Amino acid sequence: MFYISFLAVILFQGIHGAYVEIEYSWSNITYEGLDIKSYKPRYNVPTAFAYDAVNHKLFLTIPRRLPYVPYTVAELDTIRHPGFPVERAPQLSKFSGKSKKDFVPVYQPVIDECRRLWILDVGAIEYNGDDANKYPKQKPALIVHDLTKNNNPEIARYEIPKNVAAKPTAFGGFAVDVNKKNGDCSQTFVYITNFEENSLVVFNQKTKTSWKFTDKTFRPDKESTFSHLGDQTTYKVGIFGITLGDRDKKGDRPAYYIAGSSTKVYSINTKQLKTKGTKLKPKLHGDRGKHTDAIALAYDAKHRVIFFAESDTRQVSCWHIDMPLKPENTDVIYSYARFIFGTDISIDSENNLWFLSNGYPPIENAEKLKFYERKIRLMRVDTDIVLKHAKCNLNYKKPQEIPV
């Protein structure tokens, strides 16, 4: 007699169908109002995004790693462009926010709980020749836009000094920690990872100062592998993804982080990060298992779950923070062969999980990789639905096998 896990079949079909509420998938990025001959769509590869659920706006960052990228910050109205099946690959628009200065190259945006859009401009492009002279080198900066006002104006700009970021083009993810009281959003810290310097930069908005930490847990502990069309390439990167857990009575919270070339998860209490020169005491939570390398993670406070966009498995996985971290306590909530190299993941204000893949790993000549399907994919999933039958749900019950 043959047995099959009925629930597993349902989940597999569901996560690839009904569970995915929105799907965008591009072969190449194009823009409204621009002659396609004026730029190179193939070189426009988004690395990260932020979604404002109030105004239904997606903000995508497209760093100038290669020439002919017209907009390093773009946006998409999800009401006008609702995604699959209506319009799978809509054109993007230039960021409509009113900025005081043009962006140079931006890798990641973050929206905080005060609906401020934080943009990290690294201040330098990564190529020579072609149109490189259009982008003079400048200090990296955190730029803040107010999404609650018309035109989303720039309300603050903070330069990051060289002594805390010798190589800003190696910034990875960042997290914004707002201790909001009576509408006051000024008590804010920003934590920025640097995957080549193996460091964590801390910015204090109130004092407009910044400093950095280094620690052995920020380093890669192995080589990572990227597999594509039968070929394998290795790379090695340090601390990359960071996300913030629940706040305690003193206003502090754990900052969970991962190195891009590691399967371990650590955390540091933000109380330690908020004071320059503090001796860090990282906590090792465990190991997620072989081949689960990731550069992006996101914490879901409603369910006390961390989601990981894995780099080479084509998967999104989860872990409940109240469980010991080991492979048997993690679960895959999304798996798709065409989800190639997950680069960003976040949870919006309505508790929907978004995740992005772009087919552009941190390897040499990544721009020469060939793809026969759409390589850039952005998905949205309802966390309540996707976690209902996942092992990272504390109420999870192993499905019974049903004879057929």
Side-chain angles (χ1 to χ4, degrees), residues 226-270:
F226 176 70
S227 307
H228 183 59
L229 297 179
D231 294 327
Q232 287 192 334
T233 310
T234 59
Y235 60 91
K236 203 170 186 179
V237 295
I239 183 170
F240 216 117
I242 186 166
T243 190
L244 302 176
D246 299 319
R247 199 179 300 281
D248 62 25
K249 293 179 180 179
K250 296 181 180 179
D252 301 310
R253 56 210 298 195
Y256 297 92
Y257 60 92
I258 51 176
S261 296
S262 177
T263 54
K264 298 180 176 67
V265 178
Y266 295 90
S267 70
I268 294 175
N269 192 293
T270 57

Side-chain angles (χ1 to χ4, degrees), residues 4-193:
I4 186 170
S5 174
F6 176 76
L7 183 56
V9 173
I10 295 297
L11 280 178
F12 180 84
Q13 293 174 343
I15 199 62
H16 291 81
Y19 285 6
V20 178
E21 296 179 355
I22 285 185
E23 179 186 10
Y24 298 103
S25 53
W26 297 268
S27 295
N28 291 300
I29 296 294
T30 57
Y31 301 95
E32 291 183 347
L34 283 188
D35 184 345
I36 200 168
K37 295 179 181 178
S38 67
Y39 61 98
K40 291 190 176 181
R42 178 177 171 80
Y43 289 173
N44 287 251
V45 182
T47 51
F49 65 92
Y51 182 62
D52 179 19
V54 177
N55 283 338
H56 309 286
K57 288 282 183 71
L58 263 171
F59 303 101
L60 296 103
T61 50
I62 303 168
R64 291 188 168 101
R65 289 173 164 175
L66 300 165
Y68 308 112
V69 174
Y71 308 137
T72 188
V73 182
E75 68 178 52
L76 183 70
D77 185 322
T78 60
I79 298 296
R80 285 181 57 212
H81 305 287
F84 180 83
V86 177
E87 187 182 18
R88 179 179 289 185
Q91 291 187 316
L92 304 183
S93 302
K94 182 181 180 181
F95 174 56
S96 61
K98 189 175 181 181
S99 300
K100 297 176 183 177
K101 194 175 181 180
D102 289 340
F103 302 125
V104 183
V106 178
Y107 285 78
Q108 182 153 24
V110 170
I111 297 174
D112 69 18
E113 57 199 81
C114 297
R115 283 191 66 218
R116 296 177 298 182
L117 175 67
W118 292 75
I119 293 171
L120 179 57
D121 190 333
V122 303
I125 60 172
E126 297 185 69
Y127 62 90
N128 297 309
D130 294 296
D131 62 345
N133 291 334
K134 291 174 59 178
Y135 309 106
K137 191 173 182 179
Q138 58 191 37
K139 289 183 179 179
L142 281 164
I143 302 130
V144 191
H145 285 258
D146 189 344
L147 300 182
T148 69
K149 296 179 181 178
N150 292 333
N151 300 321
N152 304 146
E154 178 184 319
I155 57 173
R157 182 179 289 254
Y158 309 103
E159 291 185 342
I160 301 172
K162 190 173 182 178
N163 67 309
V164 299
K167 191 164 184 181
T169 54
F171 281 144
F174 72 96
V176 181
D177 183 9
V178 186
N179 197 350
K180 185 178 179 181
K181 293 182 179 179
N182 301 318
D184 179 15
C185 298
S186 63
Q187 191 64 40
T188 299
F189 287 82
V190 182
Y191 314 111
I192 309 167
T193 68

Side-chain angles (χ1 to χ4, degrees), residues 44 53 93 124 156 245 253 280 333 354 366 399 401:
N44 287 251
S93 302
R253 56 210 298 195
L280 299 182
I333 59 100
W354 295 75
E401 293 183 333

Side-chain angles (χ1 to χ4, degrees), residues 51 53-54 56 302 347-353 380 382-383:
Y51 182 62
V54 177
H56 309 286
K302 179 179 179 181
I347 294 172
D348 66 26
S349 58
E350 295 180 348
N351 231 70
N352 290 305
L353 178 72
R380 185 179 74 179
D382 185 319
T383 56

Side-chain angles (χ1 to χ4, degrees), residues 170-356:
F171 281 144
F174 72 96
V176 181
D177 183 9
V178 186
N179 197 350
K180 185 178 179 181
K181 293 182 179 179
N182 301 318
D184 179 15
C185 298
S186 63
Q187 191 64 40
T188 299
F189 287 82
V190 182
Y191 314 111
I192 309 167
T193 68
N194 190 304
F195 60 86
E196 285 193 15
E197 296 183 37
N198 302 320
S199 65
L200 185 62
V201 173
V202 180
F203 170 74
N204 183 339
Q205 184 189 17
K206 201 156 212 175
T207 62
K208 300 179 178 61
T209 56
S210 56
W211 53 90
K212 75 173 179 180
F213 292 98
T214 58
D215 190 84
K216 63 181 181 180
T217 63
F218 298 168
R219 301 172 191 163
D221 58 28
K222 65 183 189 66
E223 282 193 331
S224 294
T225 300
F226 176 70
S227 307
H228 183 59
L229 297 179
D231 294 327
Q232 287 192 334
T233 310
T234 59
Y235 60 91
K236 203 170 186 179
V237 295
I239 183 170
F240 216 117
I242 186 166
T243 190
L244 302 176
D246 299 319
R247 199 179 300 281
D248 62 25
K249 293 179 180 179
K250 296 181 180 179
D252 301 310
R253 56 210 298 195
Y256 297 92
Y257 60 92
I258 51 176
S261 296
S262 177
T263 54
K264 298 180 176 67
V265 178
Y266 295 90
S267 70
I268 294 175
N269 192 293
T270 57
K271 181 180 179 180
Q272 299 171 43
L273 299 176
K274 291 174 184 176
T275 303
K276 183 179 180 180
T278 304
K279 183 174 176 57
L280 299 182
K281 298 178 181 178
K283 176 182 179 181
L284 172 62
H285 292 275
D287 194 308
R288 297 165 47 239
K290 292 181 179 180
H291 311 300
T292 60
D293 311 40
I295 63 171
L297 73 170
Y299 178 64
D300 175 5
K302 179 179 179 181
H303 300 99
R304 293 176 61 78
V305 165
I306 294 179
F307 294 96
F308 305 85
E310 297 183 5
S311 305
D312 195 39
T313 61
R314 277 77 165 162
Q315 296 177 166
V316 174
S317 57
C318 65
W319 162 60
H320 196 291
I321 62 169
D322 293 332
M323 294 181 177
L325 178 54
K326 48 188 177 180
E328 54 265 40
N329 285 340
T330 65
D331 207 351
V332 174
I333 59 100
Y334 177 82
S335 180
Y336 189 40
R338 296 174 185 173
F339 186 77
I340 302 169
F341 201 77
T343 61
D344 197 17
I345 189 167
S346 66
I347 294 172
D348 66 26
S349 58
E350 295 180 348
N351 231 70
N352 290 305
L353 178 72
W354 295 75
F355 42 97
L356 170 73

